[in-house]
Amino acid sequence: MKTIGVLGGMSAESTALYYRELNRLVRERRGGLHSAELLIRSVDFAPIADLQAAGRWDETGRILGEAAHRLEGAGADVIILATNTMHLNADDIRAAISVPFLHIGDATASALRARGVRRPLLLATRFTMEKAFYRERLSAAGLEPMVPDQADRDRLHAIIFDELCQGVVRPESTAAGLEMVARGRAAGADGVIFGCTEVGLLLSPDALDLPAVDTTLVHCEAAVEFALS
């Protein structure tokens, strides 16, 4: 089994999901007492969030590149970044390591295509919904991603940072998320991307009447497939 390096902490809530899911998937594949070979580098999210808000992405790229380099040095055979938004710095991470880096957008695109989705509604942080880095990755895979309107983007961004990243899940926020999905469907969406690793805390695919891809889960599936191949 190859060792998976997990670069996390952004937020700690979703990184905990990665740990649980990676081990669950290995146990299902191998059986018995098997679990994943993991190395985890969990950074303090508060300074990263401050740099995000200030638009200082060159600095976040340097921090994450150094952290990924340390994971490789500790023995990681492959590295995954346990956050969608910080894939904005994917090139910085790749430049800092020589082992493979599994991009969450690629795992997401593959899962969407497998479900027959072409026009997915992207639910994520405002950075991921509004900047081009993520949508362009999906477009290159033949998809036509949609995003909510400005008011919904602002509301969802606040829910993610003020609630989900701090372990808070409010029923009224779940209801707001469901309303965003309904508006997206009315506008032509034929699927939904849980495009922030915390959105799976807010919404369940079973509660939606559209196919949904939880990026955390499909990213973990891709990492375990690599580790066991």
Side-chain angles (χ1 to χ4, degrees), residues 10-227:
M10 300 162 282
S11 69
E13 294 295 322
S14 63
T15 302
L17 294 177
Y18 269 82
Y19 181 80
R20 184 189 72 194
E21 291 302 313
L22 289 166
N23 283 297
R24 178 185 65 81
L25 290 165
V26 170
R27 184 172 63 250
E28 289 180 355
R29 291 276 294 271
R30 288 284 179 90
L33 297 177
H34 283 289
S35 56
E37 291 278 0
L38 300 175
L39 289 167
I40 300 176
R41 173 72 174 95
S42 185
V43 302
D44 181 6
F45 189 27
I48 297 289
D50 288 343
L51 291 171
Q52 288 177 338
R56 293 160 62 181
W57 301 103
D58 55 338
E59 294 185 45
T60 60
R62 176 184 55 78
I63 292 168
L64 297 185
E66 290 176 357
H69 181 72
R70 290 183 181 181
L71 276 174
E72 180 180 7
D77 298 305
V78 61
I79 290 175
I80 57 174
L81 177 61
T83 159
N84 283 274
T85 295
M86 298 316 299
H87 276 73
L88 188 149
N89 289 134
D91 289 343
D92 299 287
I93 292 171
R94 282 199 179 96
I97 60 176
S98 58
V99 296
F101 174 76
L102 302 184
H103 197 293
I104 198 169
D106 296 339
T108 299
S110 294
L112 289 165
R113 291 197 304 267
R115 289 161 172 79
V117 174
R118 182 173 179 80
R119 299 191 70 206
L121 178 69
L122 175 60
L123 299 179
T125 66
R126 192 166 56 237
F127 306 120
T128 303
M129 291 186 287
E130 295 180 357
K131 292 185 178 295
F133 75 99
Y134 201 89
R135 289 180 286 109
E136 286 181 349
R137 190 96 184 181
L138 299 177
S139 296
L143 303 170
E144 300 175 16
M146 302 168 55
V147 297
D149 63 22
Q150 185 69 59
D152 281 348
R153 294 199 301 270
D154 291 343
R155 176 73 189 281
L156 183 56
H157 187 88
I159 289 170
I160 291 168
F161 276 86
D162 299 340
E163 300 172 25
L164 303 181
C165 287
Q166 300 180 48
V168 177
V169 182
R170 295 194 171 104
E172 59 268 30
S173 296
T174 296
L178 292 172
E179 291 169 1
M180 294 176 199
V181 172
R183 285 190 282 274
R185 181 177 185 178
D190 62 354
V192 182
I193 302 171
F194 292 2
C196 173
T197 50
E198 288 83 17
V199 169
L201 300 171
L202 183 73
L203 299 174
S204 168
D206 295 337
L208 307 182
D209 53 6
L210 288 174
V213 168
D214 186 329
T215 56
T216 298
L217 302 185
V218 298
H219 202 200
C220 288
E221 289 168 359
V224 168
E225 181 65 28
F226 183 95

